[in-house]
Amino acid sequence: MCLPMTRSKGMQSDVTADFSEPSAQLLPRTESLRPGLRRLVYLCTALMLAAAGADLLHVVFGLAPSWESALSGPVVGISDALGAVLVIGSAAKASRARRIWWLLAAGIGSYAIGGVLWNCWLEFLPDPSTPSIADVFWLSMYPLVGAALVICVRSHSRNQESQRVLMDGLVATSGAVALCAAFIAPPLIHAAQRDHGALVTDLMYPVGDMILGVLAVALLSVRGWRLDRTWMLLVVVFPIWLLGDSTWALQISGNASTGSSAVTLCYLTAFALLAAAAWQPRISAPALPDTAPAAGPAADSSGHPTVAVPALLGLIPPVILLYDHFSQISLTALVLTWLALLAAILRVAVAMRDTMVLRDAHRAAHTDELTGLPNRRMFLMQLHQRLALAQHGQGSLTALMLDLDNFKQLNDTLGHDAGDELLRLTGPRLVRAVGPGSLVARLGGDEFAILLEPDCDRAGAGAMAQLVLDSFNEPLQVHGLALRLTASAGIATYPGDADGPDTLLKCADIAMYEAKRSRHGWEYYAADRDVNTRERLEMTGELADALDGEEIEVAFQAIADTDTRLVRSAEALVRWRRPDGTLRPPSEFLEAAELAGLSRQLTRRVVKLALDNLCEWRAAGYVMSVAVNTTVADLLDEAFPDEIEVALKSRGLGGDALKIEVTESTIMANPARVGAVLDRLRRLGVRIGLDDFGTGYSSLTHLRELSVDRLKIDRSFVTNMCSEPTDAAIVYATIELAHRLNLGVIAEGVEDEATWKALLDLGCDGIQGYWLNKPMEPAAFRELLATHAGSAPVAAAPTGAPQPSYLAESQSLPMPASTASGGSIA
């Protein structure tokens, strides 16, 4: 009598329909029927409920004594038939698990046939035989319905649930057997005047009810003890049916010819509830044969149902023992009761074990294994909870994101074991620094997050960030080494910076990366520094399309010999031409390209355009070279030298045609790997220039360890060197250092003749800047070359003019200062 609780296709509206009739609300699945069939179902259900109500009035108030013979006879048979029709109709509507549904319908139908035979015929015979043909149909229900329940249990149970299901079945079975031995079997056995066939038959009904109850308990266990409307009705049906069969057997053992009206009420009520259960919505997916298996013990996140239901089942033996204290039961029943009690204790032990496993799994799911701190999942849960409290109380919440500086280099140098030990030591140090009122979590890698105490003000957040960074001043002892770490932190607040948990973490992360860039230790979030805006995302998509098309262009700026102002080379500068014809400078899109992973494609495009133009210049007789800037992604890619080699050879160019410019920050990404890539490029003959020299860090170390050919002094020192003695001193020191190391020196940002003369006096090798020319489109730059070359051969460098190794070319072009403004672009 257990109905599989699945939601069949085409019936999903059963759950969400807005039922207009009260009957539809009681029997939701009837909404899928045609109006005539729906009314028939309503009529059958109403007749069954009316019969049960009439019998209830008769039993409770003694109304209409003449009703008893009719109620205990034809009315019960007709009610059984109506219930069977409703269950069979429900089975016919099942779209899946049809075998289970038809087994259930066959069992209920068989029981109904027995009811009709007995209540409408056999009961009125002068001396009906016991057992009778009605008993055959009644008892046939138990194997049919039992088979359906067994299929349900087997289709849903999994290996990890088998022990739990077995224990639940053992507890229910032992309790049922103890109840039968204590209260039902004795009066039947003592009815000596009855033959053995009748005795066994009468015992089979309550025993069969208990067996079905055990199977139902097993299925409920698989479901994780979840009850929906159907199961709540069935939970009532089983005890009522068992009560009716047990009372019937006891009354028959007392020489009664038939059961009382109370027994009849049990059957009428049970069948009415069963019919109603068949037309309830099938919504509890984990329990149904139509759907996926139940989630098992882990699905009971709290563990309470896993303990509570077995505990309730375990109350049966103590109740029997309490009864035995006042009215002694048989020795057999007493032994069975103690066995049932032992089974209940074992089941509770299994439930407690499941609860402990769930607790450990819950802890493991929310704890970082390496540091013992809360992990990302736990941090996000706490963040949502605290943010909800802050929203409710109009308070504020501050998040701090922290990332260890240069951790990857330490990890690569010392090994992953040392890196893990550093993280293990970092966790407790952060907890001690922030105190008990704040939550510290490891989000992954070397990234940590801290939720500060509620309503922490801006100054307090900054003080806490500095306290956290100061905690790294004490060295960490790892593998016998005393390592001193540094970190960068970003601070964001709700509701000042963000309106939700996701944006709060995003803002704190942006502030943390800003702290890394500024090397200030920690930074507050500032919206004007947020590069991850919607406009930036839109730009990223447009840039990807531009790379696939022809919108990425290059402009060229001359690089000349300081002594002769002969153009030796040109730097290729990327530009993005928009559909409206305007050009975007690299400062507007390079960072977006790096964040979107497009910098490699961008470099390939610039190299292609630069070399194609160089081939045209050389074909016209201008022996030049071209310089191209690179990114971190380029120099970390071991395939980059191979790409450059293919690009040069496909155009018939040697390595001296190309110069690669790198920055100090690029090198710091991974000095060893970048150095290996640069070495391979130099073996191709490509010259390497260190760009923006003086603005980075650890520059002297790089000069010693990296094979570079020239330095480019950053424009921030060159532009004002004539008016700022400090800048002039830096430029002079850089030139002297480079020459001592046999490196060429180029000064960027030369914008007037005075600066050029000052650099000439200091012995600078090359110059680049607006005094020579602003960045020019390829066509304008080609015209510039042609204008100054005229029809005469290209001028050679004056005899005796210095020829640094990095500038050695066979021909060059003189570039007078008057060309500074001609044909330039921004």
Side-chain angles (χ1 to χ4, degrees):
M1 292 161 305
C2 163
L3 300 183
M5 296 294 99
T6 52
R7 170 189 272 176
S8 56
K9 295 178 180 177
M11 295 187 183
Q12 296 185 6
S13 60
D14 295 345
V15 183
T16 58
D18 182 14
F19 305 116
S20 58
E21 304 178 48
S23 300
Q25 295 177 0
L26 295 175
L27 306 174
R29 289 187 59 230
T30 58
E31 281 294 296
S32 62
L33 299 176
R34 294 193 299 272
L37 292 177
R38 187 186 313 134
R39 285 191 289 270
L40 179 61
V41 172
Y42 296 162
L43 177 61
C44 293
T45 306
L47 290 175
M48 296 178 68
L49 292 174
D55 195 57
L56 177 63
L57 293 174
H58 175 68
V59 171
V60 175
F61 300 105
L63 299 178
S66 60
W67 292 0
E68 183 162 357
S69 59
L71 289 172
S72 61
V75 171
V76 175
I78 294 173
S79 181
D80 290 350
L82 292 176
V85 169
L86 293 178
V87 173
I88 292 172
S90 177
K93 294 294 293 180
S95 61
R96 292 180 290 177
R98 301 182 64 87
R99 180 175 58 167
I100 295 175
W101 277 100
W102 282 113
L103 281 172
L104 292 168
I108 301 302
S110 177
Y111 193 93
I113 292 173
V116 171
L117 289 175
W118 176 262
N119 292 288
C120 297
W121 173 41
L122 296 174
E123 184 180 7
F124 300 102
L125 295 178
D127 187 18
S129 61
T130 304
S132 66
I133 185 64
D135 291 300
V136 174
F137 285 101
W138 279 334
L139 293 174
S140 296
M141 178 198 70
Y142 294 103
L144 291 170
V145 174
L149 291 175
V150 168
I151 294 173
C152 285
V153 173
R154 293 186 62 183
S155 64
H156 288 84
S157 62
R158 299 183 293 179
N159 291 334
Q160 61 266 35
E161 297 169 338
S162 59
Q163 186 179 24
R164 181 164 60 93
V165 174
L166 179 62
M167 291 299 299
D168 287 338
L170 179 60
V171 171
T173 302
S174 59
V177 171
L179 280 174
C180 185
F183 302 111
I184 300 176
L188 293 177
I189 295 174
H190 292 160
Q193 71 276 19
R194 306 186 69 216
D195 59 63
H196 294 294
L199 175 64
V200 172
T201 301
D202 292 339
L203 276 174
M204 289 178 69
Y205 288 103
V207 171
D209 293 334
M210 291 181 182
I211 292 174
L212 292 184
V214 168
L215 292 174
V217 168
L219 187 54
L220 278 173
S221 176
V222 172
R223 288 169 51 87
W225 304 105
R226 287 177 289 270
L227 295 178
D228 51 28
R229 290 174 63 175
T230 305
W231 270 103
M232 283 189 282
L233 291 173
L234 294 176
V235 164
V236 178
V237 166
F238 276 108
I240 292 176
W241 209 311
L242 175 60
L243 178 63
D245 283 339
S246 301
T247 305
W248 172 290
L250 292 174
Q251 290 177 351
I252 293 299
S253 69
N255 295 323
S257 60
T258 184
S260 65
S261 295
V263 173
T264 302
L265 178 62
C266 291
Y267 293 142
L268 291 174
T269 304
F271 248 85
L273 294 177
L274 178 62
W279 290 95
Q280 297 306 310
R282 304 167 188 171
I283 59 177
S284 190
L288 301 180
D290 300 9
T291 55
D300 305 324
S301 58
S302 66
H304 299 311
T306 308
V307 178
V309 176
L312 291 175
L313 293 174
L315 291 177
I316 296 176
V319 170
I320 298 176
L321 293 176
L322 181 63
Y323 175 82
D324 178 63
H325 181 72
F326 298 100
S327 179
Q328 189 174 5
I329 62 177
S330 67
L331 179 62
T332 302
L334 186 62
V335 172
L336 292 173
T337 300
W338 279 105
L339 291 176
L341 182 61
L342 178 61
I345 293 173
L346 291 176
R347 178 59 182 94
V348 172
V350 171
M352 294 301 296
R353 185 205 63 184
D354 288 346
T355 301
M356 295 177 65
V357 170
L358 287 172
R359 183 186 61 191
D360 293 341
H362 184 271
R363 183 186 300 112
H366 295 87
T367 304
D368 177 59
E369 182 179 2
L370 185 62
T371 62
L373 297 174
N375 61 10
R376 177 182 289 273
R377 180 184 292 109
M378 183 61 177
F379 182 81
L380 292 177
M381 288 176 55
Q382 289 291 320
L383 177 60
H384 281 79
Q385 293 174 7
R386 296 193 185 188
L387 200 62
L389 293 175
Q391 291 170 341
H392 181 72
Q394 300 297 315
S396 64
L397 191 64
T398 302
L400 189 150
M401 296 287 287
L402 182 136
D403 189 84
L404 302 182
D405 295 332
N406 304 321
F407 179 78
K408 185 179 185 303
Q409 288 87 333
L410 288 172
N411 204 36
D412 293 341
T413 303
L414 301 178
H416 293 289
D417 290 343
D420 290 346
E421 183 64 21
L422 279 172
L423 294 175
R424 275 192 291 269
L425 295 174
T426 298
R429 180 167 293 191
L430 293 176
V431 172
R432 289 194 300 269
V434 301
S438 302
L439 174 68
V440 181
R442 181 186 174 218
L443 302 187
D446 60 329
E447 190 174 46
F448 296 84
I450 301 172
L451 272 182
L452 301 183
E453 295 182 358
D455 300 322
C456 178
D457 59 18
R458 185 178 179 89
M464 181 62 73
Q466 189 59 54
L467 189 63
V468 168
L469 298 181
D470 290 343
S471 68
F472 289 97
N473 291 338
E474 181 182 352
L476 297 170
Q477 300 294 326
V478 177
H479 292 185
L481 298 175
L483 300 178
R484 194 182 301 273
L485 295 179
T486 60
S488 301
I491 302 171
T493 61
Y494 166 87
D497 300 321
D499 57 1
D502 295 335
T503 52
L504 181 63
L505 288 183
K506 170 180 172 290
C507 292
D509 200 51
I510 291 170
M512 183 265 292
Y513 279 106
E514 181 61 29
K516 279 188 176 294
R517 282 191 289 265
S518 65
R519 299 184 62 80
H520 288 164
W522 59 270
E523 293 278 359
Y524 294 113
Y525 171 78
D528 57 356
R529 294 188 302 222
D530 187 351
V531 298
N532 297 305
T533 60
R534 180 178 297 275
E535 293 76 11
R536 182 57 55 92
L537 293 176
E538 293 175 353
M539 179 186 293
T540 299
E542 295 174 2
L543 182 59
D545 295 336
L547 285 167
D548 293 334
E550 300 294 328
E551 298 177 23
I552 299 300
E553 302 177 1
V554 291
F556 294 98
Q557 189 173 36
I559 301 175
D561 184 348
T562 306
D563 284 349
T564 63
R565 290 186 300 180
L566 296 177
V567 174
R568 306 287 189 172
S569 182
E571 182 177 1
L573 304 171
V574 65
R575 296 290 188 269
W576 179 6
R577 186 174 295 280
R578 305 307 305 277
D580 60 2
T582 60
L583 286 174
R584 277 194 172 182
S587 59
E588 294 186 11
F589 62 86
L590 282 184
E591 189 170 12
E594 291 185 9
L595 292 174
L598 299 174
S599 55
R600 289 287 289 112
Q601 293 176 248
L602 195 60
T603 301
R604 291 190 190 103
R605 175 70 175 168
V606 173
V607 169
K608 175 185 180 301
L609 295 175
L611 294 182
D612 287 346
N613 281 278
L614 180 65
C615 289
E616 293 181 9
W617 301 339
R618 290 199 171 187
Y622 309 115
V623 181
M624 304 265 294
S625 64
V626 66
V628 173
N629 293 288
T630 55
T631 67
V632 174
D634 299 319
L635 299 181
L636 290 178
D637 190 350
E638 296 179 353
F640 182 58
D642 297 329
E643 294 178 7
I644 295 298
E645 183 178 12
V646 170
L648 292 171
K649 287 185 177 180
S650 64
R651 295 169 175 80
L653 299 172
D656 60 341
L658 180 65
K659 293 177 173 61
I660 294 295
E661 296 193 351
V662 301
T663 62
E664 295 169 87
S665 59
T666 301
I667 297 171
M668 280 300 297
N670 190 327
R673 188 167 178 176
V674 170
V677 171
L678 293 179
D679 286 341
R680 290 178 57 192
L681 290 170
R682 293 190 83 246
R683 286 196 293 270
L684 296 175
V686 175
R687 304 299 176 88
I688 309 298
L690 190 58
D691 200 7
D692 300 334
F693 184 81
T695 59
Y697 42 89
S698 302
S699 301
L700 298 182
T701 301
H702 299 154
L703 290 178
R704 182 184 64 190
E705 296 179 354
L706 292 177
S707 299
V708 297
D709 301 290
R710 66 180 183 182
L711 305 181
K712 293 185 76 173
I713 306 175
D714 189 71
R715 68 181 67 250
S716 61
F717 302 113
V718 174
T719 302
N720 299 318
M721 62 178 293
C722 291
S723 58
E724 294 290 340
T726 302
D727 289 348
I730 292 174
V731 172
Y732 169 76
T734 303
I735 294 173
E736 288 297 314
L737 174 64
H739 288 167
R740 294 279 184 173
L741 296 175
N742 197 29
L743 301 176
V745 185
I746 296 176
E748 296 181 296
V750 179
E751 298 183 357
D752 52 45
E753 186 173 356
T755 303
W756 164 62
K757 289 182 177 180
L759 291 170
L760 183 63
D761 292 339
L762 294 177
C764 184
D765 301 304
I767 56 174
Q768 178 181 353
Y770 284 8
W771 189 62
L772 296 176
N773 77 301
K774 292 183 179 180
M776 306 172 70
E777 297 180 21
F781 194 82
R782 172 69 182 272
E783 290 177 3
L784 178 67
L785 297 180
T787 299
H788 290 284
S791 58
V794 179
T799 304
Q803 297 287 329
S805 59
Y806 83 101
L807 292 173
E809 307 288 355
S810 59
Q811 293 179 340
S812 56
L813 174 71
M815 178 65 73
S818 59
T819 66
S821 59
S824 63
I825 63 172

